[in-house]
Amino acid sequence: MRTQVVIIGAGPSGLLLSQLLHKSGVDCVVLERRDPDYVLSRIRAGVLEQGMVDMLERAGVSERMHKEGLPHDGFTIAVGDNRLRMDLKGLTGKNVMVYGQTEVTKDLMDAHDARDAEVIYDAENVTPLDFDGDNPRVTYEKDGVTHEIACDFICGCDGFHGVSRASVPDGAVTEYEKVYPFGWLGILSYVKPVDHELIYANHANGFALASMRSDILSRYYIQVPAGTDVNKWSDEAIWNELKIRLGAEAAAKMETGPSIEKSIAPLRSFVAEPLRFGRLFLAGDAGHIVPPTGAKGLNLAASDIHYLSEGLIEFYGEKSSAGVDAYSSRALARIWKAERFSWWMTTLLHQFPELGAFNAKIQQSEMDYLASSKAAQTVLAENYVGLPF
Ligand code: RFL
Ligand code: PHB
């Protein structure tokens, strides 16, 4: 079998790339290790930047998002019982869209089904080969049979633990990493959100976040030490902790109920450089990870796909390799700015007892400065709504 582009991974990066390439007449095949239900069961991001909303429109998959998504003009930062509203709209003229990653992925899957696109699920042992020359290929196994696809380019959209980055020869990639000593314990529950906007809280017990997926489905997170066993936290203990950390005003209004999903995500900052190795590209979580505090992971995946799809479409349409040649440096310039912002939001809003009293004082003064300075709030807001592509 032969195609122009093989995409490894049918998460949001891989499906968005395939959708945009298809719209411009570039042939591709998507290979996914899991089945569609498993892909949809992963509860992850909830906040989309305007740039990503625009891309979903261009990809022709924005109809349900505009019907069911919740545009948010701001969010609140709570420290103890003090609350500071970040007026995103007033500070930047832009807002964000609260619409779950699961829904984005479902919309992309439906668009693929509607055009009978080639997405091969349950593909085992996917292996990118010969990408250092002009004739790359990818092998995989399905139902015990080995298959091979010859192509022009391979796009590694297979997440942090995927095979693409792992296939690059030692020494060709430099990895920058920071691992935080805590994770986020998240729960999803059919209860009314505690507020119409998100609340990020820094409390002496640790960080907490009140988020949502709809007017009847809430998503909450609390900071827990790295290595915490999720089974040690009953629903009741999580609700009690949320009430403490989010402050009295939120506690008084908070509806509680059984969790329908409960999991712990470790927090990490990670960048691989470069994002191109011959005819293999890395995009999305395959190339970088941010801690979720700034809500940037999925949005960064979308900006990578913007640069990569433009480069590939230009390659086939205008017979120019300028866009694919520039992909890695264009994407990395934006990635590092989102890494900085995500690290900063994480540093501002979490408890770091191991860093001592001096660090705690600096954190407090950073918060006081944010509360008193419109310039500081504008810096936060400009980054939160998303820097231009
Ligand atoms: P994904 O979603 O991990 O998809 C990769 C796909 O590749 C498949 N795969 C393979 N397929 C074939 N062969 C192999 N060898 C393969 N290995 C892996 C996998 O099965 C999977 O289907 O990566 P992608 O597409 O780059 O998307 C990235 C986003 O998922 C991620 O950045 C965000 O979820 C991060 N994130 C958030 N981002 C935001 O922009 N806003 C948020 O509010 C936000 N909140 C979050 C988050 C991530 C979280 N967790 C759990 C890490 C909240 C949380 C809790
Ligand atoms: C979410 O709703 O899952 C969410 C929202 C904001 C974040 C991270 C996660 O910063």
Side-chain angles (χ1 to χ4, degrees):
M1 183 179 178
R2 182 173 174 87
T3 190
Q4 290 175 313
V5 179
V6 171
I7 298 171
I8 305 178
S13 303
L15 290 178
L16 185 55
L17 178 60
S18 146
Q19 183 70 5
L20 291 167
L21 292 183
H22 162 77
K23 288 227 143 207
S24 293
V26 178
D27 288 335
C28 58
V29 174
V30 184
L31 296 173
E32 165 61 48
R33 182 170 61 165
R34 304 287 193 164
D35 62 61
D37 289 340
Y38 182 93
V39 172
L40 287 176
S41 70
R42 292 184 294 226
I43 310 295
R44 291 182 168 178
V47 178
L48 312 183
E49 298 170 357
Q50 184 63 52
M52 178 159 188
V53 167
D54 295 345
M55 274 184 83
L56 294 173
E57 278 169 13
R58 279 202 299 281
V61 291
S62 62
E63 203 180 310
R64 197 165 66 97
M65 173 187 67
H66 281 304
K67 250 188 256 155
E68 297 175 18
L70 306 170
H72 280 199
D73 290 348
F75 65 83
T76 292
I77 296 181
V79 180
D81 285 329
N82 296 324
R83 289 161 71 106
L84 173 66
R85 180 165 184 273
M86 292 293 125
D87 179 8
L88 299 174
K89 186 82 181 193
L91 291 160
T92 67
K94 294 185 187 154
N95 59 10
V96 291
M97 176 73 87
V98 172
Y99 189 63
Q101 176 167 335
T102 312
E103 308 310 319
V104 172
T105 310
K106 171 125 195 3
D107 295 343
L108 284 162
M109 280 181 178
D110 289 349
H112 280 71
D113 287 349
R115 62 180 168 85
D116 234 347
E118 189 94 62
V119 184
I120 299 166
Y121 288 97
D122 298 310
E124 291 174 68
N125 291 325
V126 174
T127 311
L129 294 164
D130 299 338
F131 49 82
D132 53 348
D134 288 339
N135 299 300
R137 59 202 170 91
V138 180
T139 57
Y140 68 97
E141 287 160 30
K142 171 109 181 168
D143 302 327
V145 180
T146 303
H147 302 264
E148 179 174 307
I149 312 179
C151 58
D152 300 327
F153 296 104
I154 305 170
C155 297
C157 299
D158 47 352
F160 184 65
H161 299 288
V163 66
S164 300
R165 197 179 70 253
S167 302
V168 173
D170 284 349
V173 61
T174 306
E175 299 185 346
Y176 301 87
E177 184 171 45
K178 178 176 175 63
V179 176
Y180 301 84
F182 43 74
W184 280 16
L185 166 57
I187 59 163
L188 192 64
S189 178
Y190 275 104
V191 291
K192 194 170 168 315
V194 68
D195 194 74
H196 69 289
E197 293 179 345
L198 273 60
I199 307 173
Y200 291 82
N202 186 359
H203 183 274
N205 287 11
F207 170 83
L209 170 60
S211 181
M212 66 195 74
R213 292 292 175 272
S214 73
D215 291 336
I216 54 160
L217 185 57
S218 294
R219 180 74 167 152
Y220 287 96
Y221 298 97
I222 53 172
Q223 173 185 354
V224 293
T228 297
D229 176 359
V230 69
N231 298 311
K232 296 261 155 62
W233 279 87
S234 65
D235 288 0
E236 195 192 352
I238 297 172
W239 290 119
N240 286 342
E241 197 57 31
L242 283 164
K243 285 181 180 171
I244 294 169
R245 296 188 189 186
L246 289 165
E249 195 179 326
K253 286 194 290 179
M254 192 181 293
E255 278 185 17
T256 63
S259 63
I260 55 168
E261 194 267 355
K262 186 156 57 171
S263 55
I264 296 183
L267 262 65
R268 176 196 309 273
S269 299
F270 172 88
V271 182
E273 287 194 5
L275 296 173
R276 179 190 183 176
F277 308 89
R279 285 178 173 256
L280 169 71
F281 302 96
L282 302 180
D285 279 15
H288 43 82
I289 295 288
V290 286
T293 325
K296 287 283 160 267
L298 176 61
N299 292 299
L300 264 191
S303 60
D304 287 359
I305 297 306
H306 168 79
Y307 299 127
L308 186 53
S309 62
E310 265 194 358
L312 290 168
I313 291 164
E314 190 180 304
F315 181 87
Y316 289 106
E318 294 165 35
K319 310 277 175 268
S320 159
S321 64
V324 288
D325 291 343
Y327 165 66
S328 180
S329 57
R330 287 175 83 195
L332 280 165
R334 191 172 189 278
I335 289 161
W336 275 112
K337 292 186 188 112
E339 289 284 345
R340 184 207 67 80
F341 176 65
S342 304
W343 160 82
W344 177 81
M345 278 273 279
T346 303
T347 307
L348 178 72
L349 293 172
H350 289 74
Q351 289 292 312
F352 293 82
E354 66 288 354
L355 295 185
F358 180 83
N359 194 73
K361 282 283 187 189
I362 294 290
Q363 188 187 56
Q364 199 184 333
S365 82
E366 182 88 47
M367 203 54 229
D368 289 347
Y369 177 53
L370 185 64
S372 66
S373 162
K374 189 171 175 192
Q377 291 178 20
T378 306
V379 170
L380 188 162
E382 178 181 52
N383 282 274
Y384 194 89
V385 300
L387 297 176
F389 287 5

